[in-house]
């Protein structure tokens, strides 16, 4: 195995010298970028193109400055000594000085031995050094000598001293990156190929979330050209979780990733409203696709009785058979609901126009004075152009439009769902109990489970974008006319005074460019980042999607995500044993088979770095007593602190929570007791506070120095997956665990 060596004092001086040099180069790079940013802000004329170009350049320099600022802490954290070669220093970004590589980006292939080299497979490395810094000073060096002659273990922990220091450090309320302490099994996942679906299964403390975030940074570095245009989406379980992880990717010099919850994945909607688990489970069923299809068909109405419409002094009648025939014509087209509306309108307007034509044909005011007996019929008097005029007049009549809107309304997804929830009994596929679960007043609030349904509704309804396309064509014609005018002026100003030979004359823009070429060059460009554009575009197809706590997603949520990633380039991270939602899957194959069959690969994280052995042993006993066949992962460290149990009044719990401590405390409670405890305990709700109160659902994916789990029996009883929820609660601490049962 690798062995730790003592580090001579002279090595600290050498490393400090190199670190100072690296920060000098970082400062120079910042200064150059700041100057370019200031210059870019001053450039650009008054034309729309010049302003757009200026905004794009300034955004690029501003983003680069943010990246350079984010890597300030822990800029260099490692060194590799190699046989007959210069040492490599490993850091958060790459830095070069002319032809010399000063710092190797941790994602570069050359840096990989820092994470995977062992004495048995040293990858040419003789010594691996972990460099710990504070601000811009070296505070510790840990060396591993990779001596094959002394190897007895093929899978040692990489950088054990640095790893344990990171694990035992106090939590800050924000997740930290693990770039300095990535272990070999984690590195294999991080550097897996981009293509296909990779499932990362791992228990509490195995670093699933950190691996997922570092994988995003690695993929963006390695496949920059491929992913920069389409972007990377990371989906987390809740807004608290996203705030917790929000600093990790910027610290790894990546700022262009979109972080979102399920409730954020429909543009224009931020779904945060809570709802009963049974309702959320019903909304998440795959059967909701058929329910929504039926809800759409219900809105394509045939009246029970003949409808009378007064249009331009004429009383017109629409009987049920006529409307039914128009509806069937529109349905047979195979078009989506909103896109089929023009076909329905045409069929109805044809009937109404024929009635108007008949009335005109027999009206003495409109016909030649031949006498009532000799009056001409409409077919004798009116031509097709006349009928077209009548249809156009009827289409613009408010009374006719009101009838068309009632029989075949153009719907938004929000309108469809609001109507379904207001009257679920109108959909025959729903049982009485299901109707009761879905029924809701239209108060404007959306839940996370509504978002996949809104997205599905958008797929079923379609969007009639003819007006938008017509506006785009008109805009293009205006730009083309303007460009042609510019070329005409340029051609007219051309001088041949210096040359009698026209062929030798200096050409201008009109000689080498057509109007459409000029218009394309100066048309308005989209300068927003891929993440910004993707967030506003429901049909955006991401280059890669990463899903954390994926065991919580419903079948309807998976349909939404698969639409967002048609390439099926995905990283799915989760632990089936921690699934807390009703209807959670029994296996990953159950989730993925409808989309990729068996074409997915599994990577398992088996070692718990975060959770001490004492806590995992206690968790195993509690789960066994509850009859839950859950086996926690293998721990790598002991904290020396045994979990405690206490029963007593809530005043005693307040005393325990209010005592002085090192690090951060989380009080985890059943959802049903949250309000009661919030009124009694000295806790807050911000993760950066010293003590916070959270439900188990809110705590998913988070970690704290200390955790007190309140009312474990209540957690077990609160949901059909209570044992899984209790497992989550017991495995959040990195140092100590307490279990309090109210008397």
């Amino acid at each position: 195995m690798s062995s730790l060596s003592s580090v001579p004092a002279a090595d600290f001086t050498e490393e400090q010298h190199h670190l100072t040099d690296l920060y000098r180069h970082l400062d120079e790079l910042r200064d150059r970028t700041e100057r370019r940013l200031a210059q870019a802000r001053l450039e650009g004329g008054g034309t729309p193109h010049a302003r757009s170009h200026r905004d794009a350049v300034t955004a690029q320099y501003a983003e680069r400055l943010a990246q350079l600022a984010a890597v300030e802490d822990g800029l260099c954290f490692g060194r590799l000594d190699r046989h007959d070669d210069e040492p490599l220093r490993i850091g958060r970004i790459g830095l070069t000085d002319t032809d010399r590589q000063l710092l190797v980006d941790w994602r570069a292939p050359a840096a990989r031995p820092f994470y995977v080299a062992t004495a048995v497979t040293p990858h040419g490395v003789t010594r691996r050094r972990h460099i710990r810094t504070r601000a811009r000073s070296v505070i510790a060096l840990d060396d591993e000598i990779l001596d094959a002659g002394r190897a007895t273990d093929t899978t040692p922990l990489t950088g054990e001293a640095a790893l344990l220091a990171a694990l035992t450090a106090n939590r800050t309320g924000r997740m930290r990156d693990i770039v300095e302490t990535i272990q070999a099994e984690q590195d294999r996942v991080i550097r897996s190929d981009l293509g296909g679906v990779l499932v990362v299964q791992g228990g509490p403390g195995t670093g699933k979330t950190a691996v997922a975030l570092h994988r995003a940074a690695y993929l963006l570095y390695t496949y920059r050209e491929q992913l920069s245009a389409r972007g990377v989406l990371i989906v987390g379980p809740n807004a608290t979780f996203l705030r917790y992880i929000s600093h990790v990717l910027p610290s790894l010099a990546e700022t262009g990733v979109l972080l979102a919850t399920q409730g954020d994945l429909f543009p224009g909607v931020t779904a945060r409203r809570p709802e009963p688990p049974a309702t959320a489970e019903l909304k998440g069923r795959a059967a909701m696709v058929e329910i929504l299809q039926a809800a759409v068909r219900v809105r394509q109405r045939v009246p029970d009785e003949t409808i009378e419409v007064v249009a331009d002094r004429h009383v017109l009648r629409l009987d049920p058979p006529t409307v039914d025939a128009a509806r069937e014509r529109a349905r047979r087209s195979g078009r989506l609901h909103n896109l089929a509306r023009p076909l329905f309108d045409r069929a109805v307007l044809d009937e109404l126009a024929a009635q108007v034509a008949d009335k005109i044909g027999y009206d003495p005011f409109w016909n030649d004075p031949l006498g009532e007996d000799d009056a001409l019929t409409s077919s004798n008097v009116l031509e097709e152009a006349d009928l077209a005029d009548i249809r156009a007049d009827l289409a613009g009549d408010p009374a006719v439009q009101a009838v068309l809107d009632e029989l075949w309304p153009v719907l938004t997804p929000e309108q469809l769902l609001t109507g379904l929830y207001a009257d679920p009994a109108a959909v025959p596929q729903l049982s009485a109990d299901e109707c009761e679960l879905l029924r809701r007043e239209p108060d404007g609030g959306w839940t996370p489970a509504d978002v996949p349904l809104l997205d599905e509704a958008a797929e079923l309804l379609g969007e009639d974008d003819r007006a938008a396309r017509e506006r785009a064509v008109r805009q293009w014609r205006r730009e083309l006319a303007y460009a042609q005018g510019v070329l005409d002026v340029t051609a007219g100003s051309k001088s041949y005074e210096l040359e009698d030979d026209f062929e030798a004359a200096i050409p201008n823009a009109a000689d080498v460019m057509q109007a459409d070429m000029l218009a394309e060059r100066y048309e308005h460009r989209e300068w927003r980042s891929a993440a910004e554009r993707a967030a506003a575009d429901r049909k955006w197809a991401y280059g890669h999607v990463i899903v954390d706590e994926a065991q919580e997603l419903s079948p309807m949520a998976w349909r939404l995500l698969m639409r967002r990633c048609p390439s099926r380039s995905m990283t799915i991270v989760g632990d089936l044993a921690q699934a807390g939602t009703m209807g959670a899957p029994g296996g990953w194959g159950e989730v993925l088979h409808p989309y990729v069959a068996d074409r997915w690969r599994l990577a398992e994280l088996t070692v718990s770095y975060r959770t001490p052995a004492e806590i995992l042993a206690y968790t195993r006993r509690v789960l066994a007593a509850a009859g839950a066949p859950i086996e926690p992962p293998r721990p790598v460290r002991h904290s020396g602190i045994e979990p405690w149990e206490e029963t007593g009044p809530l005043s005693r719990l307040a005393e325990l929570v209010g005592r002085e401590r090192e690090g951060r405390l989380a009080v985890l409670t059943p959802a049903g007791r949250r309000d009661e405890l919030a009124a009694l305990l000295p806790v807050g709700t911000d993760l950066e506070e010293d003590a916070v109160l959270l439900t188990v659902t809110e705590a998913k994916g988070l970690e704290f120095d200390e955790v007190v789990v309140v009312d474990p029996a209540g957690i077990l009883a609160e949901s059909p997956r209570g044992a899984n929820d209790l497992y989550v609660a017991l495995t959040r601490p990195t140092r100590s665990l307490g279990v309090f049962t109210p008397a």
Side-chain angles (χ1 to χ4, degrees), residues 1 9 13 195 214 221 226 260 282 382 440 525 545-546 576 580 608 611 666:
M1 62 185 298
T13 302
H214 288 68
Y221 174 87
Q226 185 173 345
L282 172 58
L382 300 178
R440 189 175 80 195
R525 297 285 196 262
V545 172
I546 296 175
L576 295 172
S608 178
T611 314

Side-chain angles (χ1 to χ4, degrees), residues 614-647:
E614 293 86 350
I615 293 176
L616 289 178
Y618 175 83
T619 299
R620 188 177 290 107
R621 292 195 300 271
V622 170
L623 293 174
I630 299 174
E631 183 63 27
R634 175 169 55 92
V636 300
R637 66 185 180 94
H638 292 263
S639 67
I641 305 174
E642 291 293 334
W644 56 266
E645 296 180 347
E646 187 168 335
T647 300

Side-chain angles (χ1 to χ4, degrees), residues 171-176 242-247 687-688:
R171 306 299 99 176
T172 65
R174 297 283 189 180
M175 186 178 190
R176 293 179 296 218
L242 294 188
R243 289 194 298 272
Y244 177 65
I245 69 172
S246 61
H247 287 225
L687 290 181
E688 297 190 35

Side-chain angles (χ1 to χ4, degrees), residues 644 646 650-661 663-668 677 680-684 690-693 706-710 738 740:
W644 56 266
E646 187 168 335
L650 290 179
S651 58
R652 172 56 180 162
L653 176 61
E655 293 177 12
L656 294 171
V657 172
R659 74 180 190 277
E660 292 187 7
R661 68 179 58 81
R664 283 176 163 75
L665 167 72
V667 179
L668 304 185
L677 295 180
L680 294 173
L681 302 181
V683 293
D690 290 338
V692 296
L693 175 69
E706 300 180 37
V707 167
V708 175
V709 177
V710 179
F740 187 87

